[in-house]
Amino acid sequence: MRFAAAVLRSYEERFAVEEVRLNEGPADGEVLVRIAGCGMCRTDLAVRRSGGRSPLPAVLGHEGAGVVAATGGTGTGLGVGDHVVLSFDSCGHCRSCLAAAPAYCDSFAPLNLFGGREEHAGRFTDAAGGELAPRWFGQSSFAEYAMVPARNAVRVDPSLPVELLGPLGCGFLTGAGAVLNSFGVAPGDTVAVFGAGAVGLAAVMAATAAGAVTVAVDRHPDRLALAERFRAIPLPAASTDLPAHVRRLTGGGARYALDTTGSAELINDALRSLRPAGHLGLVARLRTALPLEPGTLDRGRRISHICEGDAVPGLLVPRLIALWQAGRFPFDQLIRTYPLADINEAERDCDAGRVVKPVLIPEGLDTWSTPHP
Ligand SMILES: [Zn+2]
Ligand SMILES: [Zn+2]
């Protein structure tokens, strides 16, 4: 079958929205999903800085949601017409997967970042027959269609606006999962969130929903205004002695801190903001070495990396939808939609901080006739 997809051919080029071809139907345990919308996540954009480790050309996009168009075999648990939110891939049988921690799957990197399963090489090609990487994060959803393992697809109520739900499969799941799963934030806890982008603001919303006192640190005033709308106390990142401010605002130090920036300087500030036995979670890849100042980990303080919000997507995605329906997780306020054809504009807006969460809406091949730059 032929459909439109945004292809990334080299680490320097813009995306090219063009016709691609799917040369085989779903294998056993897979479903073909017609994508209604796909969020753009930092990890999609980080491919440009990945040093050639993710295979190109590829169709990126790993916050897809849509409608099942075909199923492979009878054991997928899904039927044609089901509405689904797609999440990251995992093997399902390593020790982490068996322990309901699929984000720490032994095969996470090869399955999600390095092209997926080898047996699917050649299933996607461009119009000239050139091979595309078989899969990105178990999906490749900057496209009209994605072929995904059914275990990555979470069925949702068809009355929901499915085109907006994709970011619940990665970015929003990461921030909210850190708060709800990794920290287990309880009413009255104190949470400091460093970096109020899509992941940080999802953490703020979840912390507020969980009844915490939340401080949000960012350098953009508009991001701080959003954090304040979600009932966090805004704190400009340029403030002198950030940790002292956080300790004052949280009555002696935050029980939990979440860094979404990867900046060693802010991570040290976050550590110095913790109360005794406080926990700092890191969700971004560290950009430099992390020199720890003496004393920062004293008295039971700890630091850990958190991947995909420690989530089992099939459990956390419905929970976030239920919170949204109750008005307590208004993630839709962070979204701006773009036609898939405008993916390069979405990337520019994302890089410039003009949009928190772009969601790309695919249009059919027949809705455009000239190739986009
Ligand atoms: Zn696994
Ligand atoms: Zn992501």
Side-chain angles (χ1 to χ4, degrees), residues 90-98 101-102 104-108 111 151:
S90 57
C91 80
H93 49 72
C94 71
R95 290 185 73 88
S96 294
C97 284
L98 291 175
Y104 307 104
C105 174
D106 290 354
S107 302
F108 186 90
L111 286 177
R151 55 179 280 105

Side-chain angles (χ1 to χ4, degrees), residues 281-335:
L282 311 180
V283 297
R285 177 171 284 258
L286 272 174
R287 288 191 253 139
T288 56
L290 178 62
L292 285 180
E293 292 171 25
T296 43
L297 285 176
D298 287 1
R299 303 192 64 207
R301 293 178 178 87
R302 66 194 168 108
I303 179 170
S304 72
H305 182 259
I306 299 169
C307 187
E308 301 283 0
D310 284 333
V312 174
L315 296 177
L316 187 55
V317 169
R319 193 173 168 198
L320 296 180
I321 289 172
L323 281 172
W324 173 66
Q325 288 174 311
R328 296 167 63 197
F329 190 72
F331 68 90
D332 53 317
Q333 295 182 23
L334 305 180
I335 287 174

Side-chain angles (χ1 to χ4, degrees), residues 41 43 62-63 170-171 308:
C41 178
T43 311
H62 63 285
E63 291 185 345
C170 187
E308 301 283 0

Side-chain angles (χ1 to χ4, degrees), residues 349-372:
D349 286 352
C350 204
D351 272 338
R354 285 190 289 268
V355 57
V356 178
K357 176 58 73 179
V359 168
L360 298 153
I361 309 289
E363 295 156 317
L365 263 185
D366 46 351
T367 62
W368 52 274
S369 50
T370 49
H372 286 265

Side-chain angles (χ1 to χ4, degrees), residues 44 56 95 117 122 130 132-133 174 208 247 261 296 300 303 306 343 346:
D44 294 310
L56 296 182
R95 290 185 73 88
R117 294 164 205 235
L132 303 175
T174 295
T208 297
R247 288 196 302 266
T261 70
T296 43
I303 179 170
I306 299 169
I343 184 171

